[in-house]
Amino acid sequence: MMKIFLLSTIVLFFSACALYQNTSYNISLKSLEVEEKLKKMAKEWSKTPYVLGGMTKKGADCSAFTQNALYSFKISIPRTTVAQLHSGLKISKSQLQSGDLVFFKTGRGPNGLHVGIYTSENKFIHLSVKGGVREVSLENSYWKTRYLGARRFVLKN
């Protein structure tokens, strides 16, 4: 009887470990897939000129880029930076995941705000006012001092 109990306990333990590992793996895999898709999109938009109010690869602004990027995951978000900032789930900087929107108070443009998309390892992509989508670090002295907050929308692959 003791052998059966011991054997059952061992089987349950390893089953639980396997389930935990698979769940962890799936979360990491999804995050990696999101990051890869975002980086591919960044490459496709790398030559897009910054045009306030523009919405295509021929010319767009930062919020049009984020709107297009999230739409590729079948997520509809508002058009403007201000509206995007007031949508989604507010999250802390320590909780950032691939696909989260990151906001900055730059003082430029009609509302003084800028938006990008977190990729990983403290980096984000954004449509630069100098033209083209670029990946930069949140720790960059310019962006670090202007960080305003982040929002999460449910990503679907």
Side-chain angles (χ1 to χ4, degrees), residues 18-41:
L19 178 63
Y20 175 77
Q21 288 173 348
N22 287 340
T23 302
S24 177
Y25 174 76
N26 288 338
I27 291 169
S28 298
L29 184 60
K30 183 172 178 147
S31 183
L32 184 60
E33 290 170 356
V34 170
E35 180 183 354
E36 286 176 4
K37 191 170 182 176
L38 289 171
K39 289 190 178 192
K40 181 181 177 196
M41 180 170 271

PDB file of all heavy atoms in Angstrom, residues 18-41:
ATOM      1  N   ALA A  18       5.762  18.820 -15.397  1.00  0.00           N
ATOM      2  CA  ALA A  18       5.663  18.854 -16.856  1.00  0.00           C
ATOM      3  C   ALA A  18       4.635  19.890 -17.300  1.00  0.00           C
ATOM      4  O   ALA A  18       4.867  20.646 -18.237  1.00  0.00           O
ATOM      5  CB  ALA A  18       5.283  17.469 -17.386  1.00  0.00           C
ATOM      6  N   LEU A  19       3.501  19.941 -16.609  1.00  0.00           N
ATOM      7  CA  LEU A  19       2.476  20.925 -16.934  1.00  0.00           C
ATOM      8  C   LEU A  19       3.006  22.338 -16.743  1.00  0.00           C
ATOM      9  O   LEU A  19       2.834  23.202 -17.586  1.00  0.00           O
ATOM     10  CB  LEU A  19       1.236  20.696 -16.057  1.00  0.00           C
ATOM     11  CG  LEU A  19       0.082  21.678 -16.255  1.00  0.00           C
ATOM     12  CD1 LEU A  19      -0.453  21.566 -17.683  1.00  0.00           C
ATOM     13  CD2 LEU A  19      -1.016  21.400 -15.259  1.00  0.00           C
ATOM     14  N   TYR A  20       3.703  22.585 -15.647  1.00  0.00           N
ATOM     15  CA  TYR A  20       4.261  23.901 -15.377  1.00  0.00           C
ATOM     16  C   TYR A  20       5.274  24.283 -16.454  1.00  0.00           C
ATOM     17  O   TYR A  20       5.250  25.376 -16.983  1.00  0.00           O
ATOM     18  CB  TYR A  20       4.920  23.929 -13.992  1.00  0.00           C
ATOM     19  CG  TYR A  20       5.616  25.241 -13.718  1.00  0.00           C
ATOM     20  CD1 TYR A  20       4.883  26.370 -13.382  1.00  0.00           C
ATOM     21  CD2 TYR A  20       6.996  25.357 -13.835  1.00  0.00           C
ATOM     22  CE1 TYR A  20       5.511  27.577 -13.160  1.00  0.00           C
ATOM     23  CE2 TYR A  20       7.625  26.557 -13.613  1.00  0.00           C
ATOM     24  CZ  TYR A  20       6.881  27.660 -13.264  1.00  0.00           C
ATOM     25  OH  TYR A  20       7.504  28.843 -13.055  1.00  0.00           O
ATOM     26  N   GLN A  21       6.137  23.358 -16.820  1.00  0.00           N
ATOM     27  CA  GLN A  21       7.157  23.646 -17.830  1.00  0.00           C
ATOM     28  C   GLN A  21       6.511  23.955 -19.170  1.00  0.00           C
ATOM     29  O   GLN A  21       6.910  24.878 -19.853  1.00  0.00           O
ATOM     30  CB  GLN A  21       8.116  22.463 -17.962  1.00  0.00           C
ATOM     31  CG  GLN A  21       9.040  22.321 -16.779  1.00  0.00           C
ATOM     32  CD  GLN A  21       9.875  21.053 -16.842  1.00  0.00           C
ATOM     33  OE1 GLN A  21       9.615  20.160 -17.644  1.00  0.00           O
ATOM     34  NE2 GLN A  21      10.871  20.986 -15.990  1.00  0.00           N
ATOM     35  N   ASN A  22       5.494  23.194 -19.553  1.00  0.00           N
ATOM     36  CA  ASN A  22       4.833  23.447 -20.831  1.00  0.00           C
ATOM     37  C   ASN A  22       4.148  24.804 -20.835  1.00  0.00           C
ATOM     38  O   ASN A  22       4.209  25.523 -21.812  1.00  0.00           O
ATOM     39  CB  ASN A  22       3.810  22.350 -21.130  1.00  0.00           C
ATOM     40  CG  ASN A  22       4.465  21.045 -21.515  1.00  0.00           C
ATOM     41  OD1 ASN A  22       5.622  21.038 -21.922  1.00  0.00           O
ATOM     42  ND2 ASN A  22       3.744  19.952 -21.380  1.00  0.00           N
ATOM     43  N   THR A  23       3.505  25.181 -19.755  1.00  0.00           N
ATOM     44  CA  THR A  23       2.856  26.487 -19.669  1.00  0.00           C
ATOM     45  C   THR A  23       3.888  27.602 -19.800  1.00  0.00           C
ATOM     46  O   THR A  23       3.713  28.538 -20.558  1.00  0.00           O
ATOM     47  CB  THR A  23       2.107  26.612 -18.325  1.00  0.00           C
ATOM     48  OG1 THR A  23       1.164  25.557 -18.247  1.00  0.00           O
ATOM     49  CG2 THR A  23       1.396  27.941 -18.231  1.00  0.00           C
ATOM     50  N   SER A  24       4.980  27.479 -19.081  1.00  0.00           N
ATOM     51  CA  SER A  24       6.051  28.464 -19.138  1.00  0.00           C
ATOM     52  C   SER A  24       6.616  28.559 -20.548  1.00  0.00           C
ATOM     53  O   SER A  24       6.844  29.628 -21.077  1.00  0.00           O
ATOM     54  CB  SER A  24       7.146  28.090 -18.139  1.00  0.00           C
ATOM     55  OG  SER A  24       8.208  28.989 -18.235  1.00  0.00           O
ATOM     56  N   TYR A  25       6.813  27.416 -21.168  1.00  0.00           N
ATOM     57  CA  TYR A  25       7.352  27.370 -22.519  1.00  0.00           C
ATOM     58  C   TYR A  25       6.401  28.056 -23.492  1.00  0.00           C
ATOM     59  O   TYR A  25       6.814  28.828 -24.335  1.00  0.00           O
ATOM     60  CB  TYR A  25       7.593  25.917 -22.931  1.00  0.00           C
ATOM     61  CG  TYR A  25       8.015  25.750 -24.365  1.00  0.00           C
ATOM     62  CD1 TYR A  25       9.309  26.063 -24.762  1.00  0.00           C
ATOM     63  CD2 TYR A  25       7.122  25.300 -25.327  1.00  0.00           C
ATOM     64  CE1 TYR A  25       9.708  25.921 -26.079  1.00  0.00           C
ATOM     65  CE2 TYR A  25       7.497  25.151 -26.642  1.00  0.00           C
ATOM     66  CZ  TYR A  25       8.796  25.470 -27.008  1.00  0.00           C
ATOM     67  OH  TYR A  25       9.181  25.339 -28.309  1.00  0.00           O
ATOM     68  N   ASN A  26       5.095  27.780 -23.360  1.00  0.00           N
ATOM     69  CA  ASN A  26       4.111  28.383 -24.262  1.00  0.00           C
ATOM     70  C   ASN A  26       4.084  29.895 -24.135  1.00  0.00           C
ATOM     71  O   ASN A  26       3.966  30.605 -25.111  1.00  0.00           O
ATOM     72  CB  ASN A  26       2.718  27.804 -24.002  1.00  0.00           C
ATOM     73  CG  ASN A  26       2.592  26.380 -24.490  1.00  0.00           C
ATOM     74  OD1 ASN A  26       3.343  25.946 -25.354  1.00  0.00           O
ATOM     75  ND2 ASN A  26       1.656  25.640 -23.934  1.00  0.00           N
ATOM     76  N   ILE A  27       4.179  30.411 -22.905  1.00  0.00           N
ATOM     77  CA  ILE A  27       4.202  31.861 -22.697  1.00  0.00           C
ATOM     78  C   ILE A  27       5.448  32.453 -23.354  1.00  0.00           C
ATOM     79  O   ILE A  27       5.377  33.436 -24.070  1.00  0.00           O
ATOM     80  CB  ILE A  27       4.151  32.196 -21.197  1.00  0.00           C
ATOM     81  CG1 ILE A  27       2.769  31.840 -20.646  1.00  0.00           C
ATOM     82  CG2 ILE A  27       4.446  33.672 -20.958  1.00  0.00           C
ATOM     83  CD1 ILE A  27       2.675  31.869 -19.147  1.00  0.00           C
ATOM     84  N   SER A  28       6.603  31.823 -23.148  1.00  0.00           N
ATOM     85  CA  SER A  28       7.845  32.307 -23.749  1.00  0.00           C
ATOM     86  C   SER A  28       7.779  32.241 -25.265  1.00  0.00           C
ATOM     87  O   SER A  28       8.223  33.141 -25.954  1.00  0.00           O
ATOM     88  CB  SER A  28       9.036  31.488 -23.254  1.00  0.00           C
ATOM     89  OG  SER A  28       9.181  31.628 -21.873  1.00  0.00           O
ATOM     90  N   LEU A  29       7.219  31.152 -25.791  1.00  0.00           N
ATOM     91  CA  LEU A  29       7.113  30.977 -27.234  1.00  0.00           C
ATOM     92  C   LEU A  29       6.217  32.052 -27.830  1.00  0.00           C
ATOM     93  O   LEU A  29       6.564  32.675 -28.819  1.00  0.00           O
ATOM     94  CB  LEU A  29       6.558  29.583 -27.548  1.00  0.00           C
ATOM     95  CG  LEU A  29       6.486  29.205 -29.015  1.00  0.00           C
ATOM     96  CD1 LEU A  29       7.871  29.233 -29.645  1.00  0.00           C
ATOM     97  CD2 LEU A  29       5.873  27.823 -29.174  1.00  0.00           C
ATOM     98  N   LYS A  30       5.081  32.323 -27.190  1.00  0.00           N
ATOM     99  CA  LYS A  30       4.174  33.360 -27.692  1.00  0.00           C
ATOM    100  C   LYS A  30       4.859  34.721 -27.680  1.00  0.00           C
ATOM    101  O   LYS A  30       4.774  35.476 -28.630  1.00  0.00           O
ATOM    102  CB  LYS A  30       2.897  33.392 -26.864  1.00  0.00           C
ATOM    103  CG  LYS A  30       1.909  34.407 -27.387  1.00  0.00           C
ATOM    104  CD  LYS A  30       0.580  34.323 -26.719  1.00  0.00           C
ATOM    105  CE  LYS A  30      -0.304  35.409 -27.288  1.00  0.00           C
ATOM    106  NZ  LYS A  30      -1.673  35.058 -27.348  1.00  0.00           N
ATOM    107  N   SER A  31       5.562  35.030 -26.605  1.00  0.00           N
ATOM    108  CA  SER A  31       6.275  36.296 -26.495  1.00  0.00           C
ATOM    109  C   SER A  31       7.325  36.422 -27.601  1.00  0.00           C
ATOM    110  O   SER A  31       7.488  37.473 -28.204  1.00  0.00           O
ATOM    111  CB  SER A  31       6.921  36.400 -25.122  1.00  0.00           C
ATOM    112  OG  SER A  31       7.546  37.638 -24.974  1.00  0.00           O
ATOM    113  N   LEU A  32       8.020  35.322 -27.866  1.00  0.00           N
ATOM    114  CA  LEU A  32       9.040  35.306 -28.924  1.00  0.00           C
ATOM    115  C   LEU A  32       8.399  35.512 -30.289  1.00  0.00           C
ATOM    116  O   LEU A  32       8.912  36.257 -31.121  1.00  0.00           O
ATOM    117  CB  LEU A  32       9.822  33.987 -28.884  1.00  0.00           C
ATOM    118  CG  LEU A  32      10.974  33.850 -29.860  1.00  0.00           C
ATOM    119  CD1 LEU A  32      12.027  34.930 -29.621  1.00  0.00           C
ATOM    120  CD2 LEU A  32      11.598  32.473 -29.740  1.00  0.00           C
ATOM    121  N   GLU A  33       7.244  34.887 -30.522  1.00  0.00           N
ATOM    122  CA  GLU A  33       6.539  35.053 -31.788  1.00  0.00           C
ATOM    123  C   GLU A  33       6.080  36.501 -31.979  1.00  0.00           C
ATOM    124  O   GLU A  33       6.177  37.052 -33.067  1.00  0.00           O
ATOM    125  CB  GLU A  33       5.336  34.113 -31.848  1.00  0.00           C
ATOM    126  CG  GLU A  33       5.722  32.652 -31.989  1.00  0.00           C
ATOM    127  CD  GLU A  33       4.532  31.709 -31.814  1.00  0.00           C
ATOM    128  OE1 GLU A  33       3.413  32.182 -31.505  1.00  0.00           O
ATOM    129  OE2 GLU A  33       4.736  30.499 -31.967  1.00  0.00           O
ATOM    130  N   VAL A  34       5.584  37.107 -30.916  1.00  0.00           N
ATOM    131  CA  VAL A  34       5.147  38.505 -30.972  1.00  0.00           C
ATOM    132  C   VAL A  34       6.335  39.394 -31.290  1.00  0.00           C
ATOM    133  O   VAL A  34       6.271  40.252 -32.172  1.00  0.00           O
ATOM    134  CB  VAL A  34       4.475  38.934 -29.638  1.00  0.00           C
ATOM    135  CG1 VAL A  34       4.256  40.441 -29.601  1.00  0.00           C
ATOM    136  CG2 VAL A  34       3.169  38.190 -29.440  1.00  0.00           C
ATOM    137  N   GLU A  35       7.449  39.175 -30.584  1.00  0.00           N
ATOM    138  CA  GLU A  35       8.653  39.978 -30.807  1.00  0.00           C
ATOM    139  C   GLU A  35       9.140  39.842 -32.245  1.00  0.00           C
ATOM    140  O   GLU A  35       9.469  40.841 -32.894  1.00  0.00           O
ATOM    141  CB  GLU A  35       9.748  39.549 -29.836  1.00  0.00           C
ATOM    142  CG  GLU A  35      11.021  40.338 -29.995  1.00  0.00           C
ATOM    143  CD  GLU A  35      12.137  39.863 -29.079  1.00  0.00           C
ATOM    144  OE1 GLU A  35      11.905  38.984 -28.230  1.00  0.00           O
ATOM    145  OE2 GLU A  35      13.248  40.386 -29.227  1.00  0.00           O
ATOM    146  N   GLU A  36       9.179  38.626 -32.766  1.00  0.00           N
ATOM    147  CA  GLU A  36       9.638  38.408 -34.146  1.00  0.00           C
ATOM    148  C   GLU A  36       8.736  39.115 -35.150  1.00  0.00           C
ATOM    149  O   GLU A  36       9.209  39.730 -36.102  1.00  0.00           O
ATOM    150  CB  GLU A  36       9.707  36.913 -34.447  1.00  0.00           C
ATOM    151  CG  GLU A  36      10.871  36.224 -33.774  1.00  0.00           C
ATOM    152  CD  GLU A  36      10.882  34.713 -33.999  1.00  0.00           C
ATOM    153  OE1 GLU A  36      10.014  34.199 -34.742  1.00  0.00           O
ATOM    154  OE2 GLU A  36      11.762  34.055 -33.428  1.00  0.00           O
ATOM    155  N   LYS A  37       7.437  39.037 -34.924  1.00  0.00           N
ATOM    156  CA  LYS A  37       6.488  39.700 -35.831  1.00  0.00           C
ATOM    157  C   LYS A  37       6.665  41.218 -35.776  1.00  0.00           C
ATOM    158  O   LYS A  37       6.629  41.892 -36.805  1.00  0.00           O
ATOM    159  CB  LYS A  37       5.060  39.303 -35.461  1.00  0.00           C
ATOM    160  CG  LYS A  37       4.021  39.718 -36.474  1.00  0.00           C
ATOM    161  CD  LYS A  37       2.673  39.086 -36.168  1.00  0.00           C
ATOM    162  CE  LYS A  37       1.640  39.464 -37.193  1.00  0.00           C
ATOM    163  NZ  LYS A  37       0.361  38.775 -36.961  1.00  0.00           N
ATOM    164  N   LEU A  38       6.873  41.759 -34.588  1.00  0.00           N
ATOM    165  CA  LEU A  38       7.088  43.203 -34.449  1.00  0.00           C
ATOM    166  C   LEU A  38       8.374  43.645 -35.134  1.00  0.00           C
ATOM    167  O   LEU A  38       8.406  44.689 -35.797  1.00  0.00           O
ATOM    168  CB  LEU A  38       7.108  43.593 -32.972  1.00  0.00           C
ATOM    169  CG  LEU A  38       5.766  43.537 -32.244  1.00  0.00           C
ATOM    170  CD1 LEU A  38       5.960  43.743 -30.745  1.00  0.00           C
ATOM    171  CD2 LEU A  38       4.797  44.573 -32.816  1.00  0.00           C
ATOM    172  N   LYS A  39       9.431  42.867 -34.986  1.00  0.00           N
ATOM    173  CA  LYS A  39      10.705  43.233 -35.620  1.00  0.00           C
ATOM    174  C   LYS A  39      10.609  43.153 -37.142  1.00  0.00           C
ATOM    175  O   LYS A  39      11.205  43.969 -37.845  1.00  0.00           O
ATOM    176  CB  LYS A  39      11.835  42.382 -35.060  1.00  0.00           C
ATOM    177  CG  LYS A  39      12.156  42.786 -33.628  1.00  0.00           C
ATOM    178  CD  LYS A  39      13.397  42.157 -33.103  1.00  0.00           C
ATOM    179  CE  LYS A  39      13.645  42.682 -31.691  1.00  0.00           C
ATOM    180  NZ  LYS A  39      14.950  42.357 -31.192  1.00  0.00           N
ATOM    181  N   LYS A  40       9.834  42.196 -37.645  1.00  0.00           N
ATOM    182  CA  LYS A  40       9.609  42.102 -39.086  1.00  0.00           C
ATOM    183  C   LYS A  40       8.852  43.345 -39.561  1.00  0.00           C
ATOM    184  O   LYS A  40       9.195  43.942 -40.581  1.00  0.00           O
ATOM    185  CB  LYS A  40       8.819  40.837 -39.416  1.00  0.00           C
ATOM    186  CG  LYS A  40       8.570  40.650 -40.881  1.00  0.00           C
ATOM    187  CD  LYS A  40       7.759  39.400 -41.164  1.00  0.00           C
ATOM    188  CE  LYS A  40       7.472  39.314 -42.655  1.00  0.00           C
ATOM    189  NZ  LYS A  40       6.418  38.368 -42.952  1.00  0.00           N
ATOM    190  N   MET A  41       7.845  43.740 -38.793  1.00  0.00           N
ATOM    191  CA  MET A  41       7.079  44.929 -39.142  1.00  0.00           C
ATOM    192  C   MET A  41       7.962  46.180 -39.105  1.00  0.00           C
ATOM    193  O   MET A  41       7.854  47.055 -39.966  1.00  0.00           O
ATOM    194  CB  MET A  41       5.893  45.089 -38.195  1.00  0.00           C
ATOM    195  CG  MET A  41       5.051  46.304 -38.502  1.00  0.00           C
ATOM    196  SD  MET A  41       3.537  46.299 -37.569  1.00  0.00           S
ATOM    197  CE  MET A  41       2.524  45.387 -38.709  1.00  0.00           C
TER     198      MET A  41
END
